[in-house]
Amino acid sequence: MRRSLRLLTSFRFEQSDPARFYGGIATDSAELIGDFYADITGRDLTGTVVLDVGGGPGYFADEFTAVGARYVSVEPDPSEMHAAGLRVSGSVRGSGMALPFRDNAFDVCFSSNVAEHVPQPWLMADEMVRVTKPGGLIVYSYTVWHGPFGGHETGLWHYLGGEFAARRYRRKNGREPKNRFGRSLFAVTAADGLHWAATTSADVRTIFPRYHPRWAWWLVRVPVVRELLVSNLVVVATKA
């Protein structure tokens, strides 16, 4: 429960203090992926090559380096890559929907809070499977549109429509939201993730709500309820 509260309350810092928000998400991601990798392989992340799809300015790099992994990130937006002034030697500019890597290149491939910013998120998921080694780990985590954080900085107004929320934000703040609906923010549902999990060639190990304690994971199994309460859906798979 403490973990859930820590992650959920950090959302208010996403725009005002991104290092604090993404730093906490990075720590949680490294722990989460390390646990799943150990469950599947019996080994820790030492010596693995990890691809972060949509890695942004590189907040995750230190966390994975600290546990002995070689961290590589791919990010399409050069301004986003340099937004925090971080230097990440493994950063590559490229699209998640056409990853600039060969097949079977990575031990671990993950994406955190990126799918909702991609016009074809399930093409990106397929690309992540492609570049992962057989037996490797794929972790796909994204913000559910109808959850309370679906509108990102536009708040709960997205329940009245993404375009309405964006226009309201512009009127109130005198500028466009960073995450502009229809351009850099899209409506991705929990049902979308479940459909991909049912059709992918990868071996899906579990699907759960990222910010909830384990006793609340049943929410994923309930239509409508999962769209409103899951907030962030995680699909964990291994490559066949």
Side-chain angles (χ1 to χ4, degrees):
M1 182 62 76
R2 285 194 298 270
R3 170 185 172 272
S4 298
L5 291 173
R6 183 179 71 251
L7 290 171
L8 288 169
T9 55
S10 71
F11 268 90
R12 68 181 187 271
F13 301 107
E14 182 182 7
Q15 299 296 317
S16 61
D17 190 356
R20 178 174 179 176
F21 170 70
Y22 288 107
I25 294 292
T27 300
D28 184 73
S29 295
E31 293 173 353
L32 189 73
I33 290 167
D35 287 345
F36 279 121
Y37 193 76
D39 286 345
I40 290 166
T41 67
R43 303 188 301 274
D44 62 22
L45 292 173
T46 302
T48 59
V49 184
V50 176
L51 176 64
D52 178 1
V53 180
Y59 289 117
F60 288 57
D62 288 346
E63 295 295 334
F64 282 95
T65 301
V67 296
R70 178 188 171 195
Y71 174 87
V72 178
S73 68
V74 60
E75 168 62 47
D77 184 350
S79 62
E80 188 69 18
M81 291 176 74
H82 304 292
L86 304 176
R87 295 180 62 86
V88 180
S89 59
S91 291
V92 176
R93 185 181 176 190
S95 170
M97 296 177 290
L99 290 171
F101 305 104
R102 62 175 174 81
D103 296 357
N104 308 324
F106 298 94
D107 300 292
V108 177
C109 190
F110 82 98
S111 180
S112 178
N113 298 312
V114 175
E116 67 269 25
H117 302 295
V118 177
Q120 295 179 281
W122 308 111
L123 175 58
M124 185 178 86
D126 290 340
E127 277 289 278
M128 289 171 61
V129 175
R130 178 184 65 79
V131 303
T132 302
K133 295 177 180 179
L137 178 67
I138 302 116
V139 179
Y140 198 75
S141 170
Y142 66 93
T143 303
V144 175
W145 174 248
H146 290 111
F149 306 110
H152 287 249
E153 69 269 35
T154 63
L156 299 176
W157 294 99
H158 72 290
Y159 285 120
L160 299 178
E163 184 60 33
F164 174 87
R167 291 199 306 267
R168 181 188 176 277
Y169 184 94
R170 184 174 63 241
R171 288 195 304 270
K172 182 179 178 181
N173 296 282
R175 65 182 187 278
E176 291 281 359
K178 176 184 177 182
N179 300 291
R180 183 60 167 84
F181 183 75
R183 301 177 195 168
S184 58
L185 181 64
F186 302 90
V188 188
T189 67
D192 293 335
L194 293 172
H195 175 74
W196 180 81
T199 56
T200 180
S201 62
D203 181 11
V204 175
R205 299 301 186 101
T206 190
I207 304 172
F208 66 97
R210 180 169 185 174
Y211 305 136
H212 293 55
R214 193 177 185 90
W215 54 259
W217 285 15
W218 61 269
L219 291 169
V220 170
R221 300 194 297 270
V222 185
V224 180
V225 171
R226 63 190 172 217
E227 302 297 345
L228 298 172
L229 299 182
V230 161
S231 296
N232 186 290
L233 190 76
V234 184
V235 181
V236 180
T238 53
K239 185 168 179 178

PDB file of all heavy atoms in Angstrom, residues 174-192:
ATOM      1  N   GLY A 174      -3.091  29.858 -21.098  1.00  0.00           N
ATOM      2  CA  GLY A 174      -2.494  30.677 -22.147  1.00  0.00           C
ATOM      3  C   GLY A 174      -1.499  29.941 -23.013  1.00  0.00           C
ATOM      4  O   GLY A 174      -0.726  30.571 -23.746  1.00  0.00           O
ATOM      5  N   ARG A 175      -1.499  28.636 -22.947  1.00  0.00           N
ATOM      6  CA  ARG A 175      -0.590  27.830 -23.771  1.00  0.00           C
ATOM      7  C   ARG A 175      -1.194  26.451 -23.966  1.00  0.00           C
ATOM      8  O   ARG A 175      -2.075  26.034 -23.205  1.00  0.00           O
ATOM      9  CB  ARG A 175       0.788  27.697 -23.122  1.00  0.00           C
ATOM     10  CG  ARG A 175       0.783  26.926 -21.807  1.00  0.00           C
ATOM     11  CD  ARG A 175       2.161  26.852 -21.182  1.00  0.00           C
ATOM     12  NE  ARG A 175       2.192  25.983 -20.010  1.00  0.00           N
ATOM     13  CZ  ARG A 175       1.819  26.332 -18.804  1.00  0.00           C
ATOM     14  NH1 ARG A 175       1.390  27.572 -18.574  1.00  0.00           N
ATOM     15  NH2 ARG A 175       1.881  25.469 -17.787  1.00  0.00           N
ATOM     16  N   GLU A 176      -0.716  25.751 -24.971  1.00  0.00           N
ATOM     17  CA  GLU A 176      -1.180  24.394 -25.201  1.00  0.00           C
ATOM     18  C   GLU A 176      -0.613  23.466 -24.122  1.00  0.00           C
ATOM     19  O   GLU A 176       0.496  23.685 -23.614  1.00  0.00           O
ATOM     20  CB  GLU A 176      -0.700  23.896 -26.572  1.00  0.00           C
ATOM     21  CG  GLU A 176      -1.359  24.580 -27.752  1.00  0.00           C
ATOM     22  CD  GLU A 176      -2.747  24.029 -28.033  1.00  0.00           C
ATOM     23  OE1 GLU A 176      -3.194  23.107 -27.317  1.00  0.00           O
ATOM     24  OE2 GLU A 176      -3.385  24.531 -28.974  1.00  0.00           O
ATOM     25  N   PRO A 177      -1.345  22.421 -23.756  1.00  0.00           N
ATOM     26  CA  PRO A 177      -0.764  21.420 -22.852  1.00  0.00           C
ATOM     27  C   PRO A 177       0.393  20.706 -23.528  1.00  0.00           C
ATOM     28  O   PRO A 177       0.430  20.577 -24.755  1.00  0.00           O
ATOM     29  CB  PRO A 177      -1.928  20.467 -22.576  1.00  0.00           C
ATOM     30  CG  PRO A 177      -2.842  20.631 -23.741  1.00  0.00           C
ATOM     31  CD  PRO A 177      -2.723  22.060 -24.167  1.00  0.00           C
ATOM     32  N   LYS A 178       1.350  20.291 -22.747  1.00  0.00           N
ATOM     33  CA  LYS A 178       2.469  19.533 -23.309  1.00  0.00           C
ATOM     34  C   LYS A 178       1.966  18.290 -24.022  1.00  0.00           C
ATOM     35  O   LYS A 178       2.437  17.944 -25.109  1.00  0.00           O
ATOM     36  CB  LYS A 178       3.446  19.136 -22.192  1.00  0.00           C
ATOM     37  CG  LYS A 178       4.593  18.267 -22.678  1.00  0.00           C
ATOM     38  CD  LYS A 178       5.485  17.816 -21.528  1.00  0.00           C
ATOM     39  CE  LYS A 178       6.573  16.888 -22.025  1.00  0.00           C
ATOM     40  NZ  LYS A 178       7.425  16.386 -20.908  1.00  0.00           N
ATOM     41  N   ASN A 179       1.020  17.609 -23.388  1.00  0.00           N
ATOM     42  CA  ASN A 179       0.444  16.397 -23.960  1.00  0.00           C
ATOM     43  C   ASN A 179      -0.855  16.769 -24.662  1.00  0.00           C
ATOM     44  O   ASN A 179      -1.920  16.816 -24.049  1.00  0.00           O
ATOM     45  CB  ASN A 179       0.193  15.368 -22.852  1.00  0.00           C
ATOM     46  CG  ASN A 179       1.471  14.984 -22.131  1.00  0.00           C
ATOM     47  OD1 ASN A 179       2.331  14.328 -22.694  1.00  0.00           O
ATOM     48  ND2 ASN A 179       1.613  15.425 -20.890  1.00  0.00           N
ATOM     49  N   ARG A 180      -0.764  17.051 -25.962  1.00  0.00           N
ATOM     50  CA  ARG A 180      -1.900  17.563 -26.725  1.00  0.00           C
ATOM     51  C   ARG A 180      -2.701  16.413 -27.316  1.00  0.00           C
ATOM     52  O   ARG A 180      -2.169  15.605 -28.071  1.00  0.00           O
ATOM     53  CB  ARG A 180      -1.407  18.494 -27.832  1.00  0.00           C
ATOM     54  CG  ARG A 180      -2.523  19.149 -28.659  1.00  0.00           C
ATOM     55  CD  ARG A 180      -3.438  19.988 -27.783  1.00  0.00           C
ATOM     56  NE  ARG A 180      -4.318  20.873 -28.515  1.00  0.00           N
ATOM     57  CZ  ARG A 180      -5.502  20.511 -29.035  1.00  0.00           C
ATOM     58  NH1 ARG A 180      -5.935  19.267 -28.913  1.00  0.00           N
ATOM     59  NH2 ARG A 180      -6.244  21.396 -29.670  1.00  0.00           N
ATOM     60  N   PHE A 181      -3.984  16.338 -26.939  1.00  0.00           N
ATOM     61  CA  PHE A 181      -4.835  15.250 -27.407  1.00  0.00           C
ATOM     62  C   PHE A 181      -4.891  15.230 -28.931  1.00  0.00           C
ATOM     63  O   PHE A 181      -5.061  16.260 -29.585  1.00  0.00           O
ATOM     64  CB  PHE A 181      -6.251  15.402 -26.842  1.00  0.00           C
ATOM     65  CG  PHE A 181      -7.172  14.274 -27.229  1.00  0.00           C
ATOM     66  CD1 PHE A 181      -7.067  13.040 -26.629  1.00  0.00           C
ATOM     67  CD2 PHE A 181      -8.121  14.456 -28.231  1.00  0.00           C
ATOM     68  CE1 PHE A 181      -7.891  11.989 -26.995  1.00  0.00           C
ATOM     69  CE2 PHE A 181      -8.956  13.410 -28.605  1.00  0.00           C
ATOM     70  CZ  PHE A 181      -8.833  12.177 -27.989  1.00  0.00           C
ATOM     71  N   GLY A 182      -4.754  14.033 -29.487  1.00  0.00           N
ATOM     72  CA  GLY A 182      -4.792  13.853 -30.934  1.00  0.00           C
ATOM     73  C   GLY A 182      -3.461  14.061 -31.617  1.00  0.00           C
ATOM     74  O   GLY A 182      -3.318  13.740 -32.804  1.00  0.00           O
ATOM     75  N   ARG A 183      -2.478  14.607 -30.897  1.00  0.00           N
ATOM     76  CA  ARG A 183      -1.148  14.818 -31.462  1.00  0.00           C
ATOM     77  C   ARG A 183      -0.082  14.058 -30.673  1.00  0.00           C
ATOM     78  O   ARG A 183       0.737  13.351 -31.255  1.00  0.00           O
ATOM     79  CB  ARG A 183      -0.806  16.314 -31.476  1.00  0.00           C
ATOM     80  CG  ARG A 183      -1.788  17.161 -32.270  1.00  0.00           C
ATOM     81  CD  ARG A 183      -1.418  18.629 -32.162  1.00  0.00           C
ATOM     82  NE  ARG A 183      -2.516  19.499 -32.593  1.00  0.00           N
ATOM     83  CZ  ARG A 183      -2.547  20.803 -32.395  1.00  0.00           C
ATOM     84  NH1 ARG A 183      -1.527  21.410 -31.785  1.00  0.00           N
ATOM     85  NH2 ARG A 183      -3.587  21.529 -32.807  1.00  0.00           N
ATOM     86  N   SER A 184      -0.069  14.254 -29.380  1.00  0.00           N
ATOM     87  CA  SER A 184       0.909  13.566 -28.536  1.00  0.00           C
ATOM     88  C   SER A 184       0.253  12.873 -27.349  1.00  0.00           C
ATOM     89  O   SER A 184       0.939  12.432 -26.427  1.00  0.00           O
ATOM     90  CB  SER A 184       1.963  14.561 -28.027  1.00  0.00           C
ATOM     91  OG  SER A 184       1.350  15.606 -27.295  1.00  0.00           O
ATOM     92  N   LEU A 185      -1.061  12.777 -27.365  1.00  0.00           N
ATOM     93  CA  LEU A 185      -1.802  12.062 -26.329  1.00  0.00           C
ATOM     94  C   LEU A 185      -3.022  11.412 -26.980  1.00  0.00           C
ATOM     95  O   LEU A 185      -3.784  12.091 -27.676  1.00  0.00           O
ATOM     96  CB  LEU A 185      -2.251  13.012 -25.215  1.00  0.00           C
ATOM     97  CG  LEU A 185      -3.031  12.388 -24.054  1.00  0.00           C
ATOM     98  CD1 LEU A 185      -2.150  11.385 -23.297  1.00  0.00           C
ATOM     99  CD2 LEU A 185      -3.542  13.464 -23.103  1.00  0.00           C
ATOM    100  N   PHE A 186      -3.169  10.103 -26.741  1.00  0.00           N
ATOM    101  CA  PHE A 186      -4.224   9.348 -27.402  1.00  0.00           C
ATOM    102  C   PHE A 186      -4.995   8.508 -26.396  1.00  0.00           C
ATOM    103  O   PHE A 186      -4.489   8.189 -25.311  1.00  0.00           O
ATOM    104  CB  PHE A 186      -3.616   8.458 -28.498  1.00  0.00           C
ATOM    105  CG  PHE A 186      -2.842   9.221 -29.530  1.00  0.00           C
ATOM    106  CD1 PHE A 186      -1.478   9.453 -29.366  1.00  0.00           C
ATOM    107  CD2 PHE A 186      -3.475   9.737 -30.649  1.00  0.00           C
ATOM    108  CE1 PHE A 186      -0.754  10.162 -30.305  1.00  0.00           C
ATOM    109  CE2 PHE A 186      -2.758  10.456 -31.602  1.00  0.00           C
ATOM    110  CZ  PHE A 186      -1.400  10.671 -31.431  1.00  0.00           C
ATOM    111  N   ALA A 187      -6.211   8.165 -26.770  1.00  0.00           N
ATOM    112  CA  ALA A 187      -7.096   7.407 -25.877  1.00  0.00           C
ATOM    113  C   ALA A 187      -6.802   5.910 -26.015  1.00  0.00           C
ATOM    114  O   ALA A 187      -7.285   5.253 -26.931  1.00  0.00           O
ATOM    115  CB  ALA A 187      -8.555   7.704 -26.214  1.00  0.00           C
ATOM    116  N   VAL A 188      -6.011   5.382 -25.099  1.00  0.00           N
ATOM    117  CA  VAL A 188      -5.675   3.965 -25.082  1.00  0.00           C
ATOM    118  C   VAL A 188      -6.381   3.327 -23.887  1.00  0.00           C
ATOM    119  O   VAL A 188      -6.229   3.792 -22.755  1.00  0.00           O
ATOM    120  CB  VAL A 188      -4.158   3.741 -24.982  1.00  0.00           C
ATOM    121  CG1 VAL A 188      -3.825   2.262 -25.159  1.00  0.00           C
ATOM    122  CG2 VAL A 188      -3.418   4.568 -26.019  1.00  0.00           C
ATOM    123  N   THR A 189      -7.139   2.282 -24.121  1.00  0.00           N
ATOM    124  CA  THR A 189      -7.959   1.692 -23.067  1.00  0.00           C
ATOM    125  C   THR A 189      -7.316   0.429 -22.494  1.00  0.00           C
ATOM    126  O   THR A 189      -6.400  -0.150 -23.078  1.00  0.00           O
ATOM    127  CB  THR A 189      -9.356   1.332 -23.608  1.00  0.00           C
ATOM    128  OG1 THR A 189      -9.226   0.265 -24.563  1.00  0.00           O
ATOM    129  CG2 THR A 189     -10.023   2.537 -24.265  1.00  0.00           C
ATOM    130  N   ALA A 190      -7.846   0.001 -21.350  1.00  0.00           N
ATOM    131  CA  ALA A 190      -7.413  -1.272 -20.771  1.00  0.00           C
ATOM    132  C   ALA A 190      -7.802  -2.424 -21.684  1.00  0.00           C
ATOM    133  O   ALA A 190      -7.044  -3.386 -21.852  1.00  0.00           O
ATOM    134  CB  ALA A 190      -8.026  -1.444 -19.387  1.00  0.00           C
ATOM    135  N   ALA A 191      -8.985  -2.329 -22.291  1.00  0.00           N
ATOM    136  CA  ALA A 191      -9.436  -3.374 -23.210  1.00  0.00           C
ATOM    137  C   ALA A 191      -8.481  -3.530 -24.382  1.00  0.00           C
ATOM    138  O   ALA A 191      -8.256  -4.652 -24.872  1.00  0.00           O
ATOM    139  CB  ALA A 191     -10.845  -3.059 -23.709  1.00  0.00           C
ATOM    140  N   ASP A 192      -7.889  -2.431 -24.848  1.00  0.00           N
ATOM    141  CA  ASP A 192      -6.899  -2.504 -25.933  1.00  0.00           C
ATOM    142  C   ASP A 192      -5.718  -3.385 -25.529  1.00  0.00           C
ATOM    143  O   ASP A 192      -5.238  -4.214 -26.307  1.00  0.00           O
ATOM    144  CB  ASP A 192      -6.387  -1.105 -26.281  1.00  0.00           C
ATOM    145  CG  ASP A 192      -7.442  -0.211 -26.900  1.00  0.00           C
ATOM    146  OD1 ASP A 192      -8.397  -0.736 -27.492  1.00  0.00           O
ATOM    147  OD2 ASP A 192      -7.313   1.023 -26.781  1.00  0.00           O
TER     148      ASP A 192
END
